[in-house]
């Protein structure tokens, strides 16, 4: 890896990773604002803005944007999360100037044409409907909302149909004006590139973005609780979880190792006990989500109505058994999985580009895979015990969607967990 850094006069940070052995470049602009920075009355506006960025600029129509990137065989996309928004592209090395020009154009010169906005409003409503019709997707929104009720961190990225229907053009443009400051942005690129050329292009195309915006952020307060909805489905979709460490917490990697050993693969405890031994679920896994000031640890399972009554007690028993720790072979296997996944991802320019951008946003330094490997290796029994101990006294979060009739009550689940 040949990583270089630069900062423009307006505070926009640039990080590049040169890889001579490839013919492509992945690049993008990450903005340190997302769903948690939205007022409740315009929930979904960050995602709406991301959609509108592709709907025409002062120089290009929406069709022009699509045709120009695809004429060189590249692709252009974006996403919104709770803490950041990203606009990114992948092209052949000779087409980097075009890709960066397109990214800058949609960020700086979008026109927010009223007719395009109305069409995109309908597209987003269709996206919300599709998410609602995908129970193994929407269940995670319900889980998030119950873990962080009545606060920005718990609101859905897509927003609600009611808010999206009434969201005005002024609300979308105001969010851009008030939140997209250069000092909150990172331009990241990985591949066969010229760092100095990218810096020069960025200075010309993005140097006029105002330096900073005073973005208010509501602290995340984990509270926990229960959501359950009876729906006519073949399977019960269930997420059970607890508070987890923040991204900057010294035990963040301990939570990741714990999640991998507990439910991260076919050899994990949950997969072996729930699927292989008991046949209670087709899909079962655990996960950890880290944020700037908090996090979540959870278990997802999809099971039949008849199996639900047996599944939850098993999940609770296996969760309580974590207090006894893991055998050395289990921890070793989990660490090997994580290290292999990390190092394999370095073969992708897109993964390297995103890893660098996210690391710059969160930690202010370039992504260093060797340091991450050291932190994974350093996870020991004491660190695992601290994560499990942090759940004691905190209410769990339970979200269930589907045939919930066979699911025992929340207080029973709490009692099984000792919460």
């Amino acid at each position: 890896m040949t990583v270089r850094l630069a900062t423009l006069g307006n505070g926009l940070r640039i990080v590049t990773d040169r890889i001579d052995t490839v013919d492509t470049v992945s690049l993008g602009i990450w903005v340190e604002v997302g769903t948690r920075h939205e007022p409740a009355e315009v929930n979904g506006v960050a995602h709406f803005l991301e959609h509108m960025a592709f709907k025409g600029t002062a120089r290009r129509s929406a069709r022009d944007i699509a045709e120009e990137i695809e004429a060189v065989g590249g692709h252009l996309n974006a996403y919104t999360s709770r803490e950041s928004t990203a606009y990114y592209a992948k092209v052949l090395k000779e087409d980097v100037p075009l890709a960066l020009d397109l990214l800058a154009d949609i960020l700086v010169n979008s026109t927010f044409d009223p007719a395009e906005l109305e069409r995109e409003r309908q597209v987003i409503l269709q996206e919300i409907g599709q998410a609602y019709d995908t129970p193994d997707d929407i269940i995670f929104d319900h889980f998030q909302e119950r873990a962080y009720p009545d606060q920005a961190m718990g609101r859905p990225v897509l927003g609600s149909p009611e808010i999206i229907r009434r969201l005005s053009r002024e609300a979308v443009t105001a969010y851009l004006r008030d939140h997209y400051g250069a000092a909150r942005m990172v331009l990241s690129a990985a591949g066969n590139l010229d760092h100095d050329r990218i810096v020069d292009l960025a200075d010309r195309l993005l140097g006029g973005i105002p330096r900073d915006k005073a973005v208010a952020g509501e602290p995340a307060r984990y509270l926990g609780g229960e959501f359950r909805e009876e729906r006519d489905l073949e399977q019960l979709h269930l997420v059970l979880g607890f508070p987890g460490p923040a991204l900057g917490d010294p035990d963040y990697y301990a939570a990741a190792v714990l999640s991998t050993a507990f439910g991260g693969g076919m050899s994990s405890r949950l997969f072996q006990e729930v699927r292989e031994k008991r046949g209670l679920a087709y899909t079962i896994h655990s996960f950890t989500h880290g944020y700037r000031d908090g996090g979540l640890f959870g278990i997802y399972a999809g099971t039949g109505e008849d199996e639900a009554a047996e599944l939850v007690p098993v999940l609770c028993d296996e969760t309580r058994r974590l207090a006894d720790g893991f055998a050395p072979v289990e921890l070793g296997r989990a660490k090997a999985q994580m290290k292999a996944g990390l190092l394999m991802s370095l073969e992708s320019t897109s993964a390297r580009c995103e890893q660098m951008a996210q690391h710059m946003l969160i930690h202010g330094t370039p992504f260093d895979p060797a340091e991450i490997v050291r932190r994974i290796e350093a996870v020991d029994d004491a660190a695992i015990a601290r994560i499990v101990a942090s759940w004691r006294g905190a209410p769990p979060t339970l979200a269930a969607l589907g045939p919930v009739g066979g699911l025992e009550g929340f207080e029973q689940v709490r009692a099984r967990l000792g919460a």
Side-chain angles (χ1 to χ4, degrees):
M1 297 175 66
T2 305
V3 177
R4 295 182 62 186
L5 292 171
T7 303
L8 300 184
N10 61 355
L12 186 143
R13 291 160 288 171
I14 301 170
V15 55
T16 66
D17 181 4
R18 182 174 175 84
I19 311 166
D20 293 330
T21 55
V22 299
D23 291 314
T24 62
V25 176
S26 296
L27 69 161
I29 298 167
W30 274 256
V31 191
E32 193 185 346
V33 291
T35 305
R36 71 175 303 178
H37 303 101
E38 301 168 343
E41 62 271 16
V42 293
N43 173 217
V45 68
H47 176 254
F48 205 133
L49 170 59
E50 171 230 306
H51 271 242
M52 286 305 301
F54 295 88
K55 297 305 163 185
T57 72
R59 296 165 49 202
R60 295 176 170 99
S61 67
R63 181 166 183 166
D64 291 336
I65 293 169
E67 289 182 345
E68 285 191 40
I69 193 68
E70 293 184 359
V72 298
H75 62 79
L76 188 68
N77 212 332
Y79 68 80
T80 304
S81 70
R82 288 184 166 82
E83 295 194 306
S84 65
T85 308
Y87 305 84
Y88 58 92
K90 185 170 185 176
V91 291
L92 296 175
K93 59 186 178 182
E94 58 266 25
D95 298 314
V96 166
L98 170 66
L100 189 51
D101 184 67
L102 282 164
L103 288 168
D105 198 23
I106 65 176
L107 274 175
V108 177
N109 301 313
S110 285
T111 55
F112 301 96
D113 177 77
E116 289 284 0
L117 188 140
E118 290 308 315
R119 276 192 289 271
E120 206 58 27
R121 188 193 310 277
Q122 297 309 310
V123 170
I124 293 170
L125 289 170
Q126 294 293 330
E127 186 179 1
I128 293 172
Q130 180 175 304
Y132 182 81
D133 287 344
T134 311
D136 56 344
D137 182 3
I138 199 68
I139 190 64
F140 289 94
D141 275 356
H142 294 311
F143 173 71
Q144 186 86 18
E145 184 178 9
R146 291 318 306 153
Y148 298 105
D150 303 317
Q151 54 188 293
M153 187 58 85
R155 296 180 197 125
V157 171
L158 301 183
S160 68
E162 297 75 21
I163 292 176
I164 297 303
R165 288 191 183 101
R166 67 172 184 262
L167 204 60
S168 68
R169 179 179 182 275
E170 171 56 28
V172 178
T173 57
Y175 188 84
L176 171 65
R177 181 184 66 243
D178 296 339
H179 292 77
Y180 275 46
R184 303 183 72 86
M185 296 181 179
V186 170
L187 168 59
S188 178
N192 199 331
L193 54 81
D194 182 325
H195 172 84
D196 293 331
R197 189 181 187 202
I198 287 178
V199 172
D200 289 343
L201 286 167
D203 196 24
R204 177 167 59 84
L205 296 168
L206 301 165
I209 296 176
R211 180 178 181 84
D212 204 359
K213 303 292 183 180
V215 177
E218 180 184 4
R221 297 170 288 105
Y222 176 89
L223 296 176
E226 179 193 31
F227 168 90
R228 64 175 70 197
E229 178 184 319
E230 178 72 34
R231 199 190 286 189
D232 185 15
L233 298 171
E234 289 295 322
Q235 282 212 310
L236 171 70
H237 298 268
L238 180 144
V239 182
L240 174 66
F242 313 92
L247 289 167
D249 192 294
D251 282 336
Y252 173 75
Y253 289 98
V257 171
L258 168 58
S259 177
T260 303
F262 191 42
M266 291 189 297
S267 64
S268 68
R269 283 190 182 180
L270 286 178
F271 192 94
Q272 287 296 312
E273 183 67 24
V274 173
R275 175 170 163 162
E276 298 296 275
K277 181 179 176 180
R278 299 174 183 262
L280 293 175
Y282 172 69
T283 301
I284 176 82
H285 69 266
S286 59
F287 60 89
T288 182
H289 291 160
Y291 305 112
R292 283 188 168 273
D293 54 354
L296 293 170
F297 184 97
I299 304 162
Y300 165 81
T303 191
E305 182 175 10
D306 293 340
E307 290 77 19
E310 184 182 352
L311 173 65
V312 172
V314 171
L315 295 183
C316 293
D317 288 346
E318 289 299 314
T319 299
R320 294 194 69 173
R321 198 161 70 89
L322 289 174
D324 299 329
F326 290 101
V329 66
E330 291 180 284
L331 277 187
R333 191 164 53 230
K335 291 178 182 181
Q337 285 179 260
M338 291 184 62
K339 289 184 293 183
L342 169 65
L343 297 175
M344 288 176 185
S345 74
L346 298 180
E347 298 178 4
S348 162
T349 59
S350 298
R352 288 168 81 148
C353 175
E354 176 155 16
Q355 287 166 342
M356 288 194 304
Q358 294 287 3
H359 210 268
M360 286 294 298
L361 286 180
I362 296 160
H363 302 290
T365 59
F367 172 75
D368 180 358
E371 174 61 22
I372 304 303
V373 168
R374 284 193 291 271
R375 293 191 180 195
I376 293 170
E377 288 283 14
V379 173
D380 56 15
D381 293 339
I384 297 292
R386 286 195 297 272
I387 297 297
V388 177
S390 71
W391 303 340
R392 298 189 193 117
T397 300
L398 177 66
L401 178 64
V404 299
L407 191 64
E408 62 187 23
F410 185 58
E411 291 306 317
Q412 287 179 281
V413 175
R414 289 191 65 168
R416 288 186 182 278
L417 292 166

